[in-house]
Amino acid sequence: MHRLKFIITILLVVPGAVAPASAQQGGGSELYLREYADPRALGAALVKEGNWVEAKEVLERAELEYPNDPRVLKMLAQTYVAIGRERAASGDDVEAIYFFERALTKDDQLGDAWLALGE
């Protein structure tokens, strides 16, 4: 179901995108589209699920549409920190640092990002 949600989101965001046949067979997609017509709501749901990679994509799109919405910036910063932690745990320190620094561009008071960077 999560993959279907993400594919539907991409279809809304990317002109000309076509869902793979496996996603096209899923039911209930119209209900899902109505439920998450706003990318901020979809981003919040993905963050709540801990689905960081998909949340990042949706929230970056939401930031383009709502650049002054502090909730979007905060969720995006939290998402970057979570991805940074995942990258650090897998030993990819360069990517981890990149995401921690991106988090701070959205919320410079985010203690988790500062701690992770050791500053």
Side-chain angles (χ1 to χ4, degrees):
M1 183 64 174
H2 296 291
R3 182 169 168 74
L4 177 62
K5 290 178 185 178
F6 183 67
I7 291 169
I8 291 169
T9 301
I10 293 299
L11 292 173
L12 289 173
V13 175
V14 179
V18 177
S22 60
Q24 293 174 1
Q25 297 170 2
S29 60
E30 291 178 20
L31 174 63
Y32 182 80
L33 289 173
R34 284 194 302 270
E35 183 178 349
Y36 290 109
D38 185 338
R40 295 174 294 187
L42 177 57
L46 292 168
V47 166
K48 186 175 180 180
E49 292 175 359
N51 200 337
W52 305 117
V53 174
E54 291 180 18
K56 173 187 161 295
E57 299 300 323
V58 172
L59 290 168
E60 286 175 344
R61 174 66 180 172
E63 181 185 21
L64 293 174
E65 291 182 36
Y66 306 97
N68 298 320
D69 187 334
R71 296 169 301 168
V72 171
L73 298 177
K74 186 171 183 70
M75 284 188 293
L76 191 51
Q78 292 168 339
T79 299
Y80 288 151
V81 168
I83 293 171
R85 284 184 183 144
E86 288 176 352
R87 298 298 196 280
S90 69
D92 191 349
D93 293 337
V94 172
E95 277 285 306
I97 290 168
Y98 168 78
F99 279 104
F100 294 136
E101 288 177 344
R102 276 194 81 184
L104 292 171
T105 66
K106 306 302 175 192
D107 182 355
D108 65 353
Q109 300 299 310
L110 197 58
D112 289 346
W114 286 114
L115 286 173
L117 289 169
E119 297 179 20

